[in-house]
Amino acid sequence: MRAVLIVCDGLGDRPTRALNGLTPLQAARAETLSRLAEHGECGIIDVIAPGQPPGSDTAHLALFGYDPFRVYPGRGAFEALGVGIELSAGDVAFRCNFATVNDDWVIVDRRAGRINSEEARALAEALNDIRIDKVDGVQAIFYHSSEHRGALVLRGEGLSRMVSDVDAHKAGVKAHMPRPLEDTIEARRTAVALQEFVEKAHKILKDHPINRQRVEKGLPPANALLPRGAGTLPRIEPITKLWGIRAAAIAGGGLYKGVAKAVGFDLINVPGATGTVNTNLGGKVEAAIKALGEYDFVFLHIKATDSVSHDKNPHRKVEVIEWISRELTPLVKTVLDKGYYIALTGDHTTPCEVGDHTGDPVPLVIAGPGVRRDGIGKFDEISCAKGGIGRIRGIDLMRILMNYLGKVPLFGE
Ligand code: ZN
Ligand code: ZN
């Protein structure tokens, strides 16, 4: 028995004035999604807890069956795993921006004029030789990912993710020097090592030939790194062991690949899967169909619904939903023909009128053999709320799916 879980990021929405009071899902003509609802049982999910706006990382932990309040290890490690960095237990990873600061460390541009990948990669190479002298046994490794983005890994004994961000998250103010966020030796050691790295990086970057050229051309120099979001690997039982399944993930965005990798999914790379509205969704769907031949459980992530919601573009969200529905048609057909299971939901609500994540529940449909059809014929927030699954928490979803796969042991005699 096999199952596929499709998560459309930021899928949920609210009644929208520009759509005559409908949600984008209600306004969309999405035949395949309606067909799924007809064949399945519907409900709504409070992904973290009722009213709690989820980040995408905590939301996915919950949908994969983990309690994010207990196991969330900060965002940094997910980002690092997502760009292909191998992390070990004890590593502390940070997301980083190349940025422009003035002589007083006031942030002039958080993205150094969105420096291109080629220049940023050359700058990253110059940071390879930085040694941490003030803390024994700690090594700093910096990786460039794309454009102005990168990841920093501090490796060594006795480090902690409880350190504050260097990034002030806005321009015009001073970058923060890292502080320990708890009174432990580990947090203090990490803050000292991070500060030393950031200061040494600044010294190297400000005199780098690439930055001299940028200044000559009138471009902001990428003269500082602004680490943020310290994180470690989560201390959890991998999803494969927990349920006794082979599990594969298909995603474009680095964060989603990172969360999936951290909980034990195999990553399947699809050319052209970019984590944007221009992604190769057809290729991802094809890869999901193929993966169902080898894996018990396949996770497919689609980012575009969230991107257009942050852009506050409800008409575009309707189009994106209709496009996703069309592209999913062969996958839904395969799953229903073969008698596999399929679940489709979002990781949170991102109302187009708000442009950010909110704590409203998201719609859910599950279809497959033996699922109790509940007579709901349309997949949207309002229709699904009347469905047989009712209202559940994100953490419940995996057990419901694994029950259909016969993977949940009996509790009691
Ligand atoms: Zn999300
Ligand atoms: Zn978002």
Side-chain angles (χ1 to χ4, degrees):
M1 215 26 104
R2 307 268 152 110
V4 60
L5 167 63
I6 304 166
V7 175
C8 298
D9 212 282
L11 178 65
D13 213 301
R14 291 176 176 172
T16 305
R17 282 185 295 271
L19 303 173
N20 298 320
L22 299 177
T23 71
L25 270 171
Q26 283 182 305
R29 273 190 301 207
E31 279 159 37
T32 296
L33 300 190
S34 301
R35 180 152 169 255
L36 255 186
E38 264 167 44
H39 278 79
E41 188 175 21
C42 296
I44 52 175
I45 310 184
D46 291 299
V47 180
I48 306 273
Q52 175 62 57
S56 285
D57 45 8
T58 51
H60 278 80
L61 279 176
L63 293 174
F64 295 150
Y66 299 92
D67 180 352
F69 290 120
R70 269 195 37 236
V71 307
Y72 182 57
R75 182 153 174 163
F78 297 143
E79 290 282 340
L81 289 169
V83 297
I85 299 168
E86 289 298 327
L87 285 182
S88 316
D91 288 354
V92 179
F94 302 81
R95 317 167 70 196
C96 286
N97 276 12
F98 276 107
T100 309
V101 299
N102 71 12
D103 291 339
D104 297 321
W105 275 92
V106 173
I107 300 169
V108 179
D109 186 332
R110 276 188 72 235
R111 300 179 183 87
R114 288 194 179 272
I115 183 168
N116 66 53
S117 292
E118 205 178 314
E119 287 185 325
R121 210 173 299 128
L123 291 174
E125 260 171 46
L127 302 175
N128 278 339
D129 302 327
I130 293 180
R131 286 194 200 299
I132 303 298
D133 299 318
K134 291 183 179 160
V135 186
D136 275 349
V138 174
Q139 191 192 352
I141 314 151
F142 180 76
Y143 303 82
H144 174 249
S145 54
S146 65
E147 295 174 304
H148 56 279
R149 300 180 204 94
L152 169 67
V153 176
L154 294 180
R155 178 165 291 166
E157 297 274 297
L159 295 172
S160 162
R161 72 176 185 88
M162 297 307 286
V163 291
S164 64
D165 294 353
V166 174
D167 191 356
H169 298 271
K170 60 182 177 197
V173 296
K174 265 186 129 156
H176 304 306
M177 281 303 122
R179 284 177 298 107
L181 294 174
E182 61 180 23
D183 188 17
T184 60
I185 295 172
E186 289 81 6
R188 283 198 295 276
R189 275 166 56 88
T190 312
V192 170
L194 182 60
Q195 173 145 2
E196 184 179 349
F197 177 82
V198 167
E199 285 171 355
K200 285 184 169 170
H202 178 55
K203 276 206 187 103
I204 294 172
L205 292 171
K206 71 182 172 33
D207 296 324
H208 195 285
I210 284 180
N211 276 327
R212 293 211 173 136
Q213 285 166 21
R214 286 181 68 81
V215 172
E216 273 168 30
K217 285 187 220 158
L219 295 169
N223 61 9
L225 280 175
L226 301 180
R228 65 182 191 277
T232 55
L233 287 174
R235 274 185 224 150
I236 53 155
E237 181 97 307
I239 200 164
T240 46
K241 276 210 180 140
L242 207 52
W243 303 106
I245 51 170
R246 291 161 299 170
I250 298 161
L255 178 67
Y256 310 95
K257 290 188 203 171
V259 179
K261 180 119 192 264
V263 304
F265 283 89
D266 287 347
L267 296 184
I268 295 178
N269 279 313
V270 177
T274 52
T276 69
V277 287
N278 302 314
T279 193
N280 174 14
L281 185 51
K284 287 165 81 176
V285 165
E286 224 172 86
I289 293 170
K290 189 157 165 261
L292 280 168
E294 297 163 46
Y295 290 89
D296 307 298
F297 185 59
V298 175
F299 161 64
L300 172 62
H301 179 262
I302 303 168
K303 176 71 181 167
T305 30
D306 192 52
S307 311
V308 293
S309 307
H310 283 287
D311 293 344
K312 299 189 171 188
N313 194 338
H315 292 290
R316 190 78 184 97
K317 191 166 182 178
V318 170
E319 286 169 12
V320 163
I321 289 166
E322 290 174 347
W323 164 67
I324 291 171
S325 179
R326 279 195 306 275
E327 295 284 340
L328 287 178
T329 307
L331 176 59
V332 170
K333 185 175 182 325
T334 303
V335 168
L336 295 181
D337 285 355
K338 295 211 172 201
Y340 295 161
Y341 291 90
I342 184 166
L344 177 85
T345 188
D347 62 339
H348 46 76
T349 290
T350 311
C352 287
E353 288 188 0
V354 177
D356 216 334
H357 305 184
T358 63
D360 321 36
V362 293
L364 164 72
V365 59
I366 300 174
V371 172
R372 297 167 182 165
R373 286 186 180 199
D374 54 13
I376 306 292
K378 187 133 177 23
F379 183 78
D380 60 58
E381 298 84 346
I382 287 81
S383 308
C384 286
K386 300 180 195 122
I389 297 172
R391 185 166 184 160
I392 62 169
R393 296 244 182 150
I395 196 172
D396 298 326
L397 179 63
M398 271 305 283
R399 186 184 275 103
I400 292 171
L401 293 176
M402 291 302 115
N403 173 49
Y404 286 125
L405 265 57
K407 298 287 185 185
V408 185
L410 192 70
F411 180 48
E413 281 285 327

